Amino acid sequence: MAHEKHDVLQGTLDMLVLKALQLEPMHGWGITERLEQWSERVLQVGQGTLYPALYRLERQRLIKAEWRATANNRRARYYALTAKGRRQLDVELAKWQRMTRAIELVLVATLD
Amino acid sequence: MRRLVNAWHRLRMWLRRGELARGLDDEIQFHLEQQTDKNQRAGMTPMEARRAARARFSGVEATKDVIREEFFPAALGNALGDCRHAARALRRAPGFAAAAILTLGLGIGATTAMFSVANGVLLHPLPYAHADRLIEIVHAAPSIGANQLYASPAIYLAYRDHNRTFDAIGLWNWSRSPVTVSGAGDSEAVASAEVTREVLAILGVQPIAGRLFANADDVPGAAPTAILSYDYAQRRFAGGDAVGHRLVVDGVSRDVIGVLPADFRFFAYDVDLFYPLQIDRATATFPSFGGRAIARLKDGVTLASANADVARMLPLLIAEFGGRNSRLANGLEPRLRPLRDSVVGTLDETLWLLLGTIGLLMLIACANVANLVLVRMQTRQPELALRVALGAGRARVARVVVAESAVVGLAGGALGLAIAYAGLPWLLSLGANVLPEIMAITIDPRALGVCLALSLGTTIAFGCLPLLHAALPTSRIAAVLRTGTRTVTEGRQHQRTRHLLLISQVAFAVVLLTGAGLMARTFDTLRHVDPGFRDPATILTFQITVPTTMSAESSADVDRIARLHRIMVDRFSAVPGTMSVAFASFNDGLPLDDDGRTVSLVAEHSLTPQADETSGKEVQFVSPRFFETMHTPLVAGREIAWTDVDQNRPIALVSENLARRWWGSASAALGQRVSARESGPWRDVVGVVKDVHHTGLDRAAPEVVVYPAVPSPTAVFVVHSARVGTPGYLPDLQRALSSVDPSLSLARVRTLADLYRHAFARTTMTLRLLALTGAMALLLVVIGVYGAVSYGISRRRREIGIRLALGARRGEVRRMFVGRALLIVSAGILAGLGGALLLTRWLSSQLFGVSALDPLTHAAVAVFLLLAAATASYLSAATASNLNPIDVLKAE
């Protein structure tokens, strides 16, 4: 039981990061901010796990990184989705929707 | 293909690893700055903003490490990288690193050094060929209470002729040592041994020049020959060829026929000159025990069958050489013993004891390290959890733990090696008077290996324990990650393990310290034993051997020797600063030299039945003023006078213990008569002297009978002077001797203080080594207690913070932790006292005047250890509880 929970958690974080990068490239802090904002502060991404996740996604070549200047001219590492990353995001989203739908069905069923 | 691409990618990252590492630092720095800016905009002060940003990140360094290790190929799959990472992690935990490395270093170093010494002496064979087959001929006569009788010419001849179990048997004797060597160069006293032709061959020594003794050399009347030690040949012939030269040895001109190798040692003796022991079969009689015999057993012969062989030969020996009516000869039993036992002697008891104690020390060190590592892994749980969350397998996490253990273990091992090498010469110097020099003692690589493996194994095993015990169930990982560091609750099982380790550590230390305490009390008791003399540093002893021209002393020789001894006493007395001079005939009469001979003695009338007098009395032949010079008090009567010596009057002195036993008091002894036989001739007892310890302070002073000096070629002189030990005095004495006869020299020059120290040597060594192990055990326990308390506090920082915030006093908090630690230590002390009661009995043979169960020592150790633990835990609690509750609560 414990193992599946762990897998879901990890898988979710990857998906959320990919999703955050869907519109535009962003730096790590931006990703945490965006996720917080979008989730109306429900999701708090632990930075201790975010950066390892970024490095892992980069190694899987789902995202690529480059150093750029920010709006107020500070150097930051920006992450962007690769083509492979976009495909992966679609796959993940589809998977997630199947999953949530399945969970919903179960919850509805138990309400009877 | 995919793998190839992957490899290429990794290679690129590896090439760019410096840039990547800097990038990671910059990136996280940027993140923190952004968060800080945001916090500041929300109204925090800059400092609060920074702190909050860091707190939110939860473990900046740990995150960096994990990323570096998981993603940067330099560290990936690379043991060196693992270790480098571990070293970095350890630098951030200097307290743990220092304690663990110090513990391991001390444990490994001390254990290795001491094991090497004990091993070198106990387990190494003697440095002779076929050492396992070499034995010494020893007999016992239980009926008269003699259990160490050696050999004689008669015994040698009988066993040589009739044995079935020996390859060879040889007889040697060094009672005539030192001999005076004259001829080419100055005359000098040289340590010597008389040997039959077999002795050197049995030891398997090959001469580096010339030859060993052959059959022709030890026949009576053969051309006199000699073999020299390497050192002496170098010294005497200034590095030139010695073989073929002649030396005048005690007046006999001898051909040097061989030189022995430099590394050859004759047991524990420094013999420089060997010459043939020529035995005249016609004069050999039995029972007699004037010599030592060694033999090499035939291949495959056991000690038991050799003993049986000797038992078979004893009747043959009596048949040829006499003793049919002697109680001694008929009661004789063989007690052959391995030669190494003769050399090592009873030292093995001491050394086994020390081996046991260092084993305990190593156990303490291991327990300490185990505890430290357990604690360390506990505090690293958040980081390890992070690794698991990142998808690192158990094996990967285990590698992190193993790498750190390995780094600690290797550093500890290196420190241990340094300690062992630095400590060995010092250890050997402690045992200088006790350890047989014959044994080459070096650091034993196996001992080092075992210690290293043991400590590494402990470190790794206890490091991995949290992993094996599912201390990181995945359900908890999320909790660990969420709450950040240091709030993970410890498993009950680990807490029990830690307490158990601390308890056993304390218990072992109690055992060691009790041993050391008992030894210290023994030492103290021995110090207070009256040796029978005073001011030993002002009393000098030396041996003088007057060469006799023939092997059997003629009456002309006897007169000459008596005259020379009188002149020597006069000349020595004339040396400025000398207060009194005396001598004892033969080599006997010195206290505490483990030397001496016994004679049978009976009293004409006594309070005890004389038929029960089975053990011999120690005998001395002394000149006038001997006891005055030795500062041995005269209890009753008078000392021997010159007229007694000159006229060989039938008088005797006895020791106080003998006088009391036989006649009730010292004064009652005066006028009594004693003799060697019940048939007389009788001697009048004219004086009683105080008891003197001859064979060691821990043994009762022997009963002694003293006769007037007789002319003997070798005599031991005693000189009392305030000038003893000052420069110039010894040359003055030597000049005085040369004025008597220029060919004479002083030998075996020692003060009574030297003999006294020597008598203490073994006790001193045992005491020092036990004290050393005890001190180390104490140090380790203190480290252990300190660490345990400070860990306990660090684990409950939040709780302490809350308590303090709610108004608890720091003192109360400290007392809580100190109290808990002392509870555990007390349990350890109780267990240790139980262990000590069981174990210190092994120590009994080393003790004197104190019981192995001595309650005072046990109590003192318990109190002392409790105090040490209390101090350690208080200091630890004081340091660790010195926290600001605001900080703590904020950080959570």
Side-chain angles (χ1 to χ4, degrees):
Chain A
M1 182 64 202
H3 266 283
E4 274 131 27
K5 199 166 155 195
H6 160 215
D7 287 342
V8 170
L9 257 176
Q10 197 179 355
T12 320
L13 179 64
D14 288 4
M15 180 179 69
L16 293 177
V17 169
L18 293 176
K19 177 72 188 168
L21 295 173
Q22 200 179 19
L23 294 182
E24 54 175 345
M26 265 188 300
H27 45 66
W29 189 72
I31 296 174
T32 60
E33 285 297 292
R34 173 151 299 178
L35 288 178
E36 260 189 64
Q37 209 181 330
W38 282 356
S39 69
E40 294 168 346
R41 311 224 164 252
V42 172
L43 289 180
Q44 288 220 344
V45 181
Q47 289 90 338
T49 49
L50 173 71
Y51 283 92
L54 286 172
Y55 275 75
R56 188 174 52 240
L57 292 171
E58 191 190 359
R59 188 165 73 187
Q60 291 166 356
R61 274 167 294 147
L62 299 175
I63 57 176
K64 61 182 180 211
E66 64 176 331
W67 289 95
R68 265 199 250 157
T70 64
N72 36 12
N73 211 19
R74 286 166 79 171
R75 228 167 69 88
R77 199 163 136 96
Y78 277 81
Y79 295 88
L81 282 186
T82 61
K84 192 181 169 192
R86 283 181 199 286
R87 277 200 302 279
Q88 179 69 21
L89 178 59
D90 290 343
V91 172
E92 295 271 338
L93 284 175
K95 213 160 84 184
W96 179 254
Q97 270 149 15
R98 263 205 318 279
M99 177 77 79
T100 45
R101 196 177 125 68
I103 292 172
E104 252 174 50
L105 286 174
V106 172
L107 293 179
V108 169
T110 47
L111 274 179
D112 283 342
Chain B
M1 185 60 202
R2 195 188 157 79
R3 199 170 284 178
L4 215 71
V5 171
N6 217 347
W8 166 243
H9 187 71
R10 282 186 179 205
L11 183 66
R12 254 188 31 206
M13 280 184 86
W14 186 78
L15 290 171
R16 291 169 49 214
R17 67 193 185 281
E19 187 192 327
L20 282 171
R22 275 193 303 281
L24 178 62
D25 289 346
D26 290 349
E27 185 174 14
I28 288 179
Q29 184 59 37
F30 172 78
H31 186 113
L32 289 173
E33 282 168 12
Q34 292 292 316
Q35 184 70 48
T36 309
D37 287 352
K38 187 182 168 190
N39 290 347
Q40 250 173 303
R41 281 198 300 277
M44 290 191 196
T45 67
M47 207 146 94
E48 279 171 347
R50 209 161 26 247
R51 194 184 291 142
R54 283 190 84 84
R56 191 156 168 227
F57 203 100
S58 67
V60 174
E61 290 303 319
T63 307
K64 281 189 197 170
D65 271 339
V66 170
I67 292 172
R68 274 192 205 109
E69 200 180 332
E70 293 297 328
F71 298 103
F72 293 179
L76 204 68
N78 181 341
L80 205 67
D82 279 345
C83 292
R84 217 177 294 139
H85 168 74
R88 230 181 4 245
L90 283 174
R91 261 205 298 277
R92 286 202 299 275
F96 162 75
I101 291 172
L102 194 68
T103 299
L104 284 178
L106 285 178
I108 295 174
T111 311
T112 305
M114 289 202 219
F115 182 81
S116 300
V117 172
N119 180 53
V121 176
L122 286 179
L123 308 176
H124 271 216
L126 294 176
Y128 304 126
H130 305 298
D132 53 324
R133 281 157 56 197
L134 300 183
I135 55 149
E136 173 155 35
I137 308 283
V138 187
H139 305 85
S143 60
I144 62 158
N147 46 23
Q148 197 138 296
L149 296 165
Y150 294 105
S152 67
I155 291 172
Y156 159 72
L157 291 173
Y159 293 178
R160 190 185 70 185
D161 294 348
H162 301 295
N163 86 79
R164 293 168 185 165
T165 50
F166 304 154
D167 261 351
I169 175 171
L171 185 72
W172 64 276
N173 195 335
W174 75 324
S175 61
R176 295 171 74 94
S177 175
V179 289
T180 303
V181 173
S182 48
D186 295 333
S187 75
E188 57 183 330
V190 176
S192 65
E194 292 173 277
V195 296
T196 61
R197 63 177 183 272
E198 302 94 344
V199 170
L200 293 174
I202 286 173
L203 297 179
V205 58
Q206 296 293 328
I208 55 162
R211 60 176 177 90
L212 296 182
F213 297 121
N215 284 9
D217 294 311
D218 68 359
V219 181
T225 50
I227 291 177
L228 308 183
S229 74
Y230 179 82
D231 285 345
Y232 184 59
Q234 291 288 310
R235 214 158 61 224
R236 185 81 194 182
F237 297 99
D241 199 2
V243 176
H245 285 83
R246 298 178 78 83
L247 287 178
V248 180
V249 179
D250 277 355
V252 178
S253 177
R254 295 183 176 275
D255 270 332
V256 176
I257 61 161
V259 176
L260 300 175
D263 61 359
F264 175 75
R265 298 194 63 99
F266 193 64
F267 313 130
Y269 309 117
D270 278 315
V271 174
D272 279 333
L273 188 146
F274 296 87
Y275 59 98
L277 174 58
Q278 295 171 343
I279 296 168
D280 184 358
R281 196 170 192 116
T283 62
T285 58
F286 189 72
S288 58
F289 297 95
R292 313 266 300 243
I294 58 171
R296 188 172 60 228
L297 297 179
K298 285 185 172 143
D299 205 3
V301 169
T302 63
L303 201 62
S305 52
N307 268 319
D309 195 30
V310 168
R312 178 186 61 81
M313 290 187 284
L314 280 169
L316 302 173
L317 165 67
I318 294 171
E320 180 173 356
F321 295 100
R324 221 176 301 273
N325 301 319
S326 152
R327 201 169 151 204
L328 172 59
N330 288 304
L332 215 57
E333 294 170 8
R335 288 275 197 284
L336 306 190
R337 69 179 173 211
L339 191 59
R340 64 160 301 114
D341 288 2
S342 290
V343 175
V344 176
T346 53
L347 189 60
D348 56 355
E349 266 175 39
T350 314
L351 292 175
W352 280 117
L353 182 83
L354 290 174
L355 270 185
T357 61
I358 56 183
L360 280 184
L361 185 68
M362 195 64 213
L363 282 181
I364 295 178
C366 283
N368 211 354
V369 167
N371 226 340
L372 287 168
V373 169
L374 264 186
V375 167
R376 164 79 176 149
M377 287 309 144
Q378 206 69 43
T379 55
R380 281 188 80 180
Q381 267 207 2
E383 183 206 328
L384 297 179
L386 187 56
R387 285 171 195 279
V388 174
L390 282 170
R394 291 259 143 127
R396 190 74 197 78
V397 174
R399 257 178 63 181
V400 174
V401 174
V402 169
E404 182 168 300
S405 305
V407 168
V408 170
L410 287 177
L415 181 66
L417 193 65
I419 291 177
Y421 270 100
L424 189 67
W426 184 71
L427 274 185
L428 290 178
S429 73
L430 283 188
N433 288 325
V434 183
L435 298 170
E437 283 177 62
I438 192 168
M439 305 295 185
I441 293 166
T442 51
I443 291 289
D444 187 76
R446 281 170 310 164
L448 188 68
V450 168
C451 290
L452 200 63
L454 194 62
S455 48
L456 257 181
T458 312
T459 330
I460 293 174
F462 280 87
C464 290
L465 201 64
L467 305 173
L468 295 177
H469 269 288
L472 278 180
T474 12
S475 60
R476 268 177 65 200
I477 288 175
V480 170
L481 289 175
R482 218 174 23 250
T483 51
T485 48
R486 284 182 187 274
T487 47
V488 190
T489 46
E490 187 183 33
R492 201 162 267 281
Q493 205 162 0
H494 286 134
Q495 196 170 349
R496 245 201 323 269
T497 313
R498 286 198 304 109
H499 290 173
L500 222 61
L501 284 170
L502 194 60
I503 287 174
S504 54
Q505 200 176 332
V506 171
F508 292 143
V510 168
V511 173
L512 282 185
L513 285 172
T514 309
L518 289 172
M519 235 24 239
R521 295 209 54 193
T522 295
F523 191 77
D524 189 53
T525 317
L526 283 180
R527 275 274 175 220
H528 286 97
V529 168
D530 181 0
F533 49 83
R534 277 177 294 115
D535 304 328
T538 65
I539 300 167
L540 192 70
T541 81
F542 47 83
Q543 230 171 285
I544 296 173
T545 303
V546 177
T548 47
T549 45
M550 278 171 250
S551 46
E553 285 111 32
S554 65
S555 64
D557 269 336
V558 167
D559 289 346
R560 189 170 67 91
I561 289 169
R563 210 169 51 246
L564 281 173
H565 282 165
R566 274 299 278 277
I567 299 171
M568 284 177 205
V569 169
D570 291 343
R571 296 277 166 89
F572 289 142
S573 302
V575 172
T578 306
M579 292 183 233
S580 66
V581 179
F583 66 90
S585 308
F586 309 105
N587 199 359
D588 308 322
L590 289 183
L592 299 175
D593 64 347
D594 284 322
D595 202 2
R597 67 182 87 191
T598 53
V599 292
S600 59
L601 189 76
V602 292
E604 195 177 25
H605 308 289
S606 83
L607 299 174
T608 58
Q610 291 296 299
D612 293 349
E613 290 298 319
T614 49
S615 59
K617 309 286 170 280
E618 188 123 357
V619 66
Q620 286 176 271
F621 301 86
V622 307
S623 77
R625 300 184 74 189
F626 182 80
F627 294 104
E628 177 195 333
T629 311
M630 297 278 283
H631 285 40
T632 302
L634 200 64
V635 184
R638 63 171 179 90
E639 273 213 53
I640 283 164
W642 279 117
T643 47
D644 301 324
V645 178
D646 293 342
Q647 297 165 21
N648 198 10
R649 283 161 67 171
I651 59 145
L653 273 59
V654 294
S655 59
E656 192 180 0
N657 50 7
L658 184 61
R660 281 188 194 286
R661 198 164 64 80
W662 274 358
W663 300 293
S665 75
S667 50
L670 301 180
Q672 297 286 349
R673 301 210 299 168
V674 293
S675 169
R677 270 165 245 98
E678 273 152 39
S679 53
W682 296 98
R683 287 167 173 269
D684 292 327
V685 175
V686 298
V688 176
V689 290
K690 201 161 167 50
D691 300 340
V692 175
H693 288 266
H694 279 247
T695 46
L697 294 164
D698 53 344
R699 270 171 278 170
E703 294 175 341
V704 180
V705 57
V706 183
Y707 299 134
V710 296
S712 65
T714 298
V716 57
F717 277 74
V718 289
V719 174
H720 170 49
S721 166
R723 284 183 67 199
V724 168
T726 59
Y729 189 56
L730 211 54
D732 283 355
L733 291 174
Q734 176 64 55
R735 260 192 299 282
L737 182 61
S738 300
S739 74
V740 181
D741 181 339
S743 74
L744 297 176
S745 56
L746 308 173
R748 299 191 84 187
V749 183
R750 291 175 293 182
T751 64
L752 280 194
D754 293 336
L755 287 167
Y756 188 67
R757 248 194 311 281
H758 195 268
F760 264 105
R762 176 162 322 170
T763 311
T764 313
M765 178 181 80
T766 315
L767 173 68
R768 284 187 183 159
L769 291 182
L770 276 181
L772 190 71
T773 37
M776 288 207 187
L778 191 67
L779 184 64
L780 291 180
V781 165
V782 165
I783 293 176
V785 171
Y786 189 97
V789 171
S790 91
Y791 171 67
I793 290 177
S794 78
R795 215 163 44 78
R796 293 165 66 181
R797 274 169 70 88
R798 189 161 56 167
E799 180 197 328
I800 297 169
I802 293 170
R803 277 170 191 265
L804 290 177
L806 291 178
R809 297 226 186 100
R810 273 176 215 285
E812 286 166 355
V813 173
R814 266 173 231 156
R815 261 198 299 283
M816 184 175 83
F817 284 99
V818 172
R820 268 196 97 187
L822 289 190
L823 204 67
I824 298 171
V825 169
S826 304
I829 289 176
L830 280 181
L833 286 178
L837 287 180
L838 288 174
L839 289 175
T840 45
R841 72 181 53 176
W842 299 109
L843 197 66
S844 334
S845 65
Q846 311 287 322
L847 298 181
F848 174 74
V850 54
S851 152
L853 304 178
D854 183 50
L856 189 66
T857 311
H858 286 75
V861 165
V863 170
F864 182 60
L865 209 77
L866 203 61
L867 280 179
T871 314
S873 55
Y874 181 78
L875 287 178
S876 177
T879 320
S881 67
N882 205 3
L883 41 85
N884 183 354
I886 314 272
D887 286 346
V888 174
L889 296 177
K890 232 182 189 172
E892 294 297 339

